[in-house]
Amino acid sequence: MSAGPVAAIILANVALAFGPLLVRMSDVGPVAAAFWRMAMAVPVLFMVALAMGSNPIRELRGIGWLVVLGGLAFAGDLASWHTGITRTTLANATLFGNSATFIYPIYGFLIARMWPTRWQAVALLLATGGAALLMGRSAELSARNLAGDLFCLFAGMLYAVYFICMARARQRVATAPALALFSLATLLPLLLLSLALGERVVPGNWVPLLILTLSSQLLGQGCMSYALGHLPPILIGLALLLQPIVAGITGWIVYDERLTGADWIGALLVAVALVLVRRGPPPAALARERDAIRSSREGD
């Protein structure tokens, strides 16, 4: 195992862990922050696709409905997650934002008509128990915190829908044009939703949004896409644990978000589940889709 992919997966998770902090630091609404994050990334993604010899607009033929549905799901994922970030702790937002890791295998079990492996079943049970503990603690703090957890969990569900659409599109289109098209499809829904919510859209300070775009959408996702094709699932699962750890430390230092014993236990259960859910082979019917989504985002 070479050092390059290992360094890439570490860098990706650290970069992605600072996303929630940057969303809070921006002076626009949470949905508007998601819009600018994508709007500034889309031109780069299109230039990358063109440089690799692909014309994303030409590739749209035959996958238009997938791009529209996936774009709507991705937009909903970002809008819901960014909204949740402003209401719950950074650690919880990061953990629940990765819930697609558990939801996507459930989809696999359904279409493959087979039971999960022993380790996957244990992972889902641990994740359920951990989530219940974390949400219980949030409910004790305030209804706002619990709502934030639910927003982030809903974001994970929408991201699983995006996973499925991206996977099917990747059966016909290369990675670069697919990412460019799906990202472009998020812009109008995010902008309209931000305006409908009455958010401030035009920032006075562009720095947090620029760093968010570079760190989460370009550096984080770029390194993650590279590492996913070179590392075993168990190592990827272990590396994902960096995100809630870094986010939790950041929340404690910047916002004095202190975690209790119940919080630590709940987070540990979810973290262990993140690792276990990747053990063993995926359902055979999902093998092609698994390979296709290796190039898409993981954990937001």
Side-chain angles (χ1 to χ4, degrees), residues 48-190:
V48 170
L50 292 171
M52 296 178 67
S54 298
N55 185 329
I57 302 302
R58 192 181 304 134
E59 301 280 5
L60 188 59
R61 182 179 301 175
I63 62 166
W65 70 274
L66 282 172
V67 171
V68 172
L69 178 59
L72 286 172
F74 198 8
D77 157 49
L78 289 174
S80 187
W81 189 51
H82 281 206
T83 300
I85 286 169
T86 64
R87 287 166 167 77
T88 190
T89 64
L90 297 187
N92 279 20
T94 305
L95 281 167
F96 288 122
N98 277 313
S99 58
T101 303
F102 311 108
I103 297 168
Y104 187 75
I106 293 174
Y107 159 76
F109 304 144
L110 292 176
I111 69 167
R113 297 181 181 180
M114 63 183 295
W115 292 99
T117 66
R118 179 178 59 186
W119 287 114
Q120 289 168 335
V122 171
L124 294 173
L125 289 174
L126 288 176
T128 301
L133 273 176
L134 290 170
M135 287 187 182
R137 276 288 302 143
S138 290
E140 290 178 10
L141 292 174
S142 71
R144 180 182 176 84
N145 279 66
L146 178 59
D149 287 352
L150 293 174
F151 269 115
C152 294
L153 184 60
F154 183 59
M157 295 179 183
L158 291 175
Y159 191 58
V161 176
Y162 164 73
F163 259 5
I164 295 165
C165 293
M166 171 63 81
R168 296 195 177 278
R170 281 285 290 110
Q171 293 176 9
R172 302 183 58 175
V173 180
T175 300
L179 285 173
L181 288 170
F182 276 83
S183 299
L184 178 65
T186 68
L187 297 185
L188 184 59
L190 285 171

Side-chain angles (χ1 to χ4, degrees), residues 204-292:
N205 180 9
W206 288 91
V207 174
L209 294 174
L210 180 60
I211 298 175
L212 177 66
T213 301
L214 293 173
S215 64
S216 291
Q217 203 60 38
L218 296 177
L219 177 63
Q221 294 309 319
C223 289
M224 182 69 76
S225 297
Y226 168 71
L228 285 175
H230 295 83
L231 297 175
I234 190 68
L235 184 56
I236 294 168
L238 286 170
L240 276 175
L241 305 186
L242 284 172
Q243 284 191 50
I245 292 172
V246 173
I249 293 172
T250 303
W252 174 50
I253 294 174
V254 179
Y255 298 107
D256 196 30
E257 295 176 351
R258 300 181 181 276
L259 301 181
T260 66
D263 290 319
W264 282 112
I265 294 172
L268 179 61
L269 290 175
V270 175
V272 171
L274 278 171
V275 176
L276 292 182
V277 79
R278 295 169 176 274
R279 288 187 56 125
L286 275 184
R288 289 170 60 192
E289 294 196 16
R290 173 209 60 193
D291 294 336

